Amino acid sequence: MAADRRPAGRIQRLGMADNYWSMGVPGPCGPSSELHYDRGPAFGPEGGPAVDGERYLELWNLVFMQNVRGEGPAKEGYPIVGELPARSIDTGLGLDRLAAVLQGAGTLCETDLLAPTLRLVQELAGRPYPGRDGGEESLSFRVAAEHARSVAFLVADGVLPARDGRGYVLRRLMRRAIRHARLLGVDDPVLPSLAGSVVDTLGQAWPELERHRTLIGRVCAAEEEAFGRTLRQGSRLLDSAITAAHSSGSAVLPGRTAFELHDTYGFPVDLTVDAARSAGLTVDADAFAELLEEQRRQAHQAGRERKGGAVARRDLYRDVVARHGLTSFVGYGTTASEGRVVALLDGSGPVPEASEGQEVELILDRSPFYAEGGGQVGDTGTVRTSGGAVLEVLDTRPGLDGLHVHTARVAQGAVRAGEEAEAVVDAARRDATARSHSATHVLHAMLRRVLGDHAAQRGSRVEPGRLRFDFAHFAPVDTGPVQTLVNDYLLDDPGVRAWEATRDEAEAAGATAMFGERYGDRVRIVDIGDASRELCGGTHVGHGAQAGPVHIVGESSIGTGLRRIEALAGADALRHHDHEHALLAELAALLNVPPDQAPARLRQRLDLLAETRRHLDALRDAERAALARRLADGPEQLPGGWLISAIVPDTGDLRTLAADVLARRPRTEPGAVILGTRSGAKATLVAALTDATSGTASSLLREAAAALGGGTGGRGPIANAGGRRPERLDEALGLAARSARDLLTP
């Protein structure tokens, strides 16, 4: 402290809540030693960091990683359940905070790292930054500037907006920045220009920002547009809810309304609170919090139930591994091998044998069957035992890492644990799968070449002759150039090589790893020429040309920032091509032109058809107008008004005809129009009333609807009825006309 220069007097112990670091979940943790800088009385009172964290700014810390924490919130003092086998020290210096101290800046946003972006916020808002003591307004300036920087770096690092994971964190940052810009009165798109300012300021020090400038701008623009749609839709729903609250005399907006806007439409709850406050309402925050907590509880409970069954099954597999060891997989080099049945499992657990027709999980000590993983489906095939049993392998998947579990149906005889067996993979299916897998790797490489490194794999499904590839991108992709690149590359017949290395060696060699996948200390790498190098445990072709051709059959969005390509490979692609060629030939024959002229001739025919339909619609409109004039000219005069009732030809829209007739009569006189028509096996009635007529149109059709064997629809001055008894239409029209006469006769 300023008054006490002794080192001991400048040391404070803040306890576990403030000086004990963890990841926020059970795992490594340890006490933290922090170095703070006193920025002087202008920033707050004396007393050290325990009194004021703004004045005494943390610059550096040392975390002594030595313990393991258990469950429990940090502020409540989570339990320490053990010690790490090896201790370490994690240290870090805050660049922003050091810059603030060296430059005498009031806030981190006023340093030269962020000041240009903060100035741009002021320009867009049309008002000056009020300084660090400006309350909520000052906060909005800082959030818009700082979040724009975070957004730029995240996108440059390959993160795109998504509904979960790190993409969800990015989306929250983007939408919070946009939200605070709106609070400052900036209604035009703001995020692309703010992120561009970040690139201008920091692009020289961080070249990846400059390399991805265009991507950053496009992602920001797309997300801001999407958030704008969310705000517009949510605002309409919120306005309706506020109107309903006012109509009911309530001063509180229901918590369920706020929750549905938040959960279903992604509408920020703080926006709901602000809008309600402006309308003189409060939001039932307790009900909102209760619904949010209930949602979390249900999700947690569902997860626990799913996890419970999986854990029980894993325990069975662990017991198998403990007794017999892991599966020796020999499938990279062969599709047939000898082995021994080490275990048979059914739904309840281990069984000594399985008989004909029974489905079991078969575990061999040695297997050529690939277990589903890395997007590739598991192998199928046949297992024959020394006891004469024949099993059809329906699928293969990993029970645990290194344990192959074969889902099999006993086709013949009975299989017993301990028997010797011959395992044979369906080689044709395996080859078709390998073609798809190699094609997927090349597709991934060419997408990154065309779109950029951000177009990284986010999931895949590799099946015999077919593949599905999910990747990060923010806009539709023209797949034509991508398909050409893939096929040209495969046609050059690049070599395919699989090799093993440590994870560090693989990363140093530039191997691509799929985000979210788990890898061991030693990994398998697959090279396809010089374009593709990926960590992969799947099966592949021997040469690139064996994977082609590749035909892309679809490209679509599967969520914000995520695209999906579906494609065929090898013989399946050729069969698809033959099928499309046959369709084109059939179409050309129907149009009586050569195949290359079929599209132009079809467009010509479609244009002619559209023109014909326009003429037909015009004729129908003219006929309907003429019929409406004839009907309007001859009403039945009643003591209290007029009535027009008739059975008319099917005009396609009886309600429109009735409204047209009504429009040709004086609206200030009581009157009714009742029209009926037959269309195939159905009869329809429509009733319409003028504004001066008391009662409802539907009341005129109740008896008529019953006669037709149907019901009524519509409210107010126009209604309709229908049924499957067209032979009773005359009777139904008479009943409706009688009801109208009763209504119009005082």
Side-chain angles (χ1 to χ4, degrees):
M1 301 178 193
D4 188 349
R5 312 305 297 177
R6 294 174 302 167
R10 293 159 61 187
I11 296 175
Q12 292 182 333
R13 292 183 179 274
L14 299 185
M16 193 170 193
D18 295 290
N19 276 123
Y20 209 94
W21 185 92
S22 81
M23 299 182 296
V25 295
C29 61
S32 174
S33 176
E34 300 170 354
L35 176 66
H36 293 254
Y37 181 83
D38 183 358
R39 297 202 286 170
F43 290 88
E46 292 189 359
V51 173
D52 192 294
E54 284 295 316
R55 172 173 172 173
Y56 298 89
L57 189 67
E58 179 190 345
L59 292 181
W60 204 315
N61 74 353
L62 296 166
V63 178
F64 299 92
M65 303 291 284
Q66 61 190 46
N67 301 121
V68 179
R69 66 162 282 188
E71 294 277 1
K75 293 296 182 183
E76 296 178 9
Y78 47 77
I80 303 301
V81 297
E83 294 189 358
L84 292 173
R87 299 184 177 189
S88 63
I89 297 177
D90 186 10
T91 183
L93 167 70
L95 176 61
D96 279 327
R97 298 180 184 189
L98 181 61
V101 169
L102 293 177
Q103 297 172 23
T107 66
L108 306 183
C109 291
E110 296 172 64
T111 68
D112 56 8
L113 296 170
L114 271 173
T117 305
L118 183 63
R119 284 196 295 271
L120 180 57
V121 177
Q122 297 175 72
E123 292 174 14
L124 294 171
R127 50 179 144 163
Y129 171 61
R132 66 186 183 89
D133 297 324
E136 291 296 322
E137 184 181 14
S138 177
L139 175 65
S140 292
F141 276 97
R142 296 198 300 271
V143 167
E146 195 285 326
H147 282 18
R149 179 176 63 171
S150 299
V151 165
F153 273 91
L154 283 169
V155 175
D157 198 39
V159 182
L160 293 178
R163 292 193 177 97
D164 53 17
R166 58 183 189 167
Y168 178 68
V169 175
L170 171 61
R171 171 171 285 172
R172 289 287 301 272
L173 288 170
M174 299 175 88
R175 295 192 168 188
R176 191 162 186 257
I178 297 166
R179 161 69 177 142
H180 279 274
R182 298 291 183 270
L183 291 176
L184 294 173
V186 185
D187 294 325
D188 294 328
V190 63
L191 203 52
S193 56
L194 292 181
S197 170
V198 172
V199 178
D200 292 339
T201 305
L202 303 175
Q204 186 173 359
W206 282 276
E208 61 269 29
L209 290 174
E210 189 62 53
R211 283 199 305 271
H212 295 96
R213 177 189 287 272
T214 301
L215 173 66
I216 292 168
R218 293 179 67 181
V219 170
C220 287
E223 183 62 24
E224 188 153 6
E225 182 182 351
F227 188 41
R229 291 194 297 269
T230 294
L231 292 179
R232 288 191 293 273
Q233 182 181 26
S235 295
R236 288 194 296 269
L237 297 171
L238 182 55
D239 289 343
S240 298
I242 289 173
T243 300
H246 284 153
S247 299
S248 66
S250 174
V252 179
L253 193 71
R256 180 167 291 280
T257 298
F259 176 75
E260 289 176 352
L261 285 168
H262 160 78
D263 184 56
T264 305
Y265 301 99
F267 196 78
V269 69
D270 58 335
L271 276 182
T272 302
V273 172
D274 289 347
R277 186 186 299 116
S278 299
L281 304 174
T282 60
V283 175
D284 189 343
D286 291 341
F288 173 82
E290 184 177 338
L291 288 166
L292 194 61
E293 182 58 30
E294 177 60 25
Q295 182 193 54
R296 289 171 178 160
R297 279 198 302 267
Q298 290 177 355
H300 182 65
Q301 180 62 29
R304 289 184 62 182
E305 290 174 357
R306 289 193 301 269
K307 186 177 179 181
V311 168
R313 205 66 188 171
R314 282 200 301 270
D315 287 343
L316 287 175
Y317 298 145
R318 288 193 183 100
D319 184 60
V320 171
V321 171
R323 293 172 179 270
H324 306 286
L326 297 172
T327 306
S328 175
F329 176 60
V330 296
Y332 290 131
T334 182
T335 55
S337 72
E338 303 290 333
R340 182 171 58 87
V341 179
V342 298
L344 295 167
L345 305 173
D346 64 8
S348 59
V351 293
E353 68 174 63
S355 56
E356 188 169 320
Q358 191 173 348
E359 189 171 304
V360 292
E361 290 183 344
L362 170 75
I363 300 176
L364 305 171
D365 65 341
R366 176 182 171 89
S367 174
F369 286 84
Y370 178 81
E372 179 177 342
Q376 180 175 328
V377 297
D379 279 335
T380 62
T382 305
V383 172
R384 299 177 183 273
T385 70
S386 56
V390 178
L391 295 92
E392 179 185 359
V393 177
L394 308 174
D395 191 18
T396 309
R397 57 183 177 79
L400 299 172
D401 288 342
L403 181 70
H404 291 216
V405 177
H406 311 79
T407 301
R409 182 179 61 83
V410 183
Q412 178 181 318
V415 57
R416 297 172 182 81
E419 288 184 319
E420 297 300 316
E422 179 190 28
V424 180
V425 173
D426 182 337
R429 184 176 183 273
R430 160 76 77 82
D431 290 345
T433 305
R435 285 192 288 270
S436 297
H437 205 153
S438 297
T440 302
H441 281 217
V442 176
L443 172 63
H444 186 195
M446 296 309 155
L447 280 170
R448 289 164 70 96
R449 179 178 295 182
V450 171
L451 303 176
D453 289 342
H454 71 277
Q457 181 176 349
R458 290 293 182 265
S460 65
R461 179 75 174 174
V462 178
E463 300 176 337
R466 176 179 292 273
L467 65 95
R468 185 187 73 208
F469 186 76
D470 301 337
F471 60 100
H473 195 56
F474 50 85
V477 176
D478 181 1
T479 58
V482 176
Q483 178 175 292
T484 299
L485 283 173
V486 170
N487 284 313
D488 285 350
Y489 189 77
L490 292 175
L491 192 60
D492 286 340
D493 198 20
V496 178
R497 180 173 75 103
W499 51 288
E500 290 189 356
T502 66
R503 179 66 190 275
D504 290 341
E505 290 169 342
E507 290 181 355
T512 300
M514 181 178 169
F515 180 77
E517 281 286 317
R518 294 182 303 165
Y519 300 97
D521 293 333
R522 289 197 65 80
V523 293
R524 184 172 182 263
I525 304 103
V526 175
D527 294 343
I528 303 181
D530 57 3
S532 173
R533 171 169 287 175
E534 295 193 27
L535 303 187
C536 182
T539 60
H540 288 268
V541 297
H543 290 273
Q546 295 172 337
V550 174
H551 183 77
I552 296 176
V553 295
E555 192 275 344
S556 61
S557 169
I558 56 170
T560 303
L562 286 177
R563 309 295 301 180
R564 171 172 291 171
I565 282 180
E566 296 179 83
L568 303 173
D572 290 82
L574 292 173
R575 281 191 287 268
H576 183 79
H577 174 79
D578 291 344
H579 176 65
E580 288 189 331
H581 181 75
L583 291 176
L584 178 59
E586 182 179 356
L587 179 62
L590 291 172
L591 295 171
N592 196 29
V593 295
D596 61 340
Q597 297 179 19
R601 179 59 60 87
L602 181 58
R603 279 192 294 270
Q604 184 183 50
R605 295 284 180 88
L606 291 175
D607 290 343
L608 179 61
L609 178 60
E611 183 65 22
T612 302
R613 283 177 173 170
R614 283 193 292 271
H615 285 302
L616 181 60
D617 289 342
L619 288 173
R620 285 177 174 170
D621 290 344
E623 290 178 0
R624 187 165 51 235
L627 179 58
R629 282 195 299 272
R630 291 197 301 272
L631 292 170
D633 288 343
E636 175 186 349
Q637 296 296 332
L638 298 170
W642 54 265
L643 169 65
I644 296 172
S645 64
I647 295 177
V648 298
D650 182 12
T651 62
D653 190 346
L654 198 60
R655 290 173 67 95
T656 299
L657 177 61
D660 196 359
V661 173
L662 201 66
R664 297 173 186 275
R665 298 292 305 170
R667 305 286 293 187
T668 56
E669 296 179 7
V673 176
I674 301 174
L675 303 177
T677 191
R678 296 180 179 87
S679 179
K682 183 180 179 181
T684 303
L685 282 171
V686 168
L689 302 177
T690 64
D691 296 337
T693 307
S694 61
T696 61
S698 61
S699 65
L700 306 182
L701 299 178
R702 291 194 184 101
E703 291 184 78
L708 294 175
T712 62
R715 292 182 296 179
I718 189 164
N720 56 274
R724 296 289 180 179
R725 298 175 184 170
E727 71 277 3
R728 299 186 64 180
L729 179 60
D730 291 333
E731 176 190 349
L733 181 69
L735 292 171
R738 186 182 67 186
S739 297
R741 293 187 185 98
D742 292 342
L743 178 66
L744 295 169
T745 301

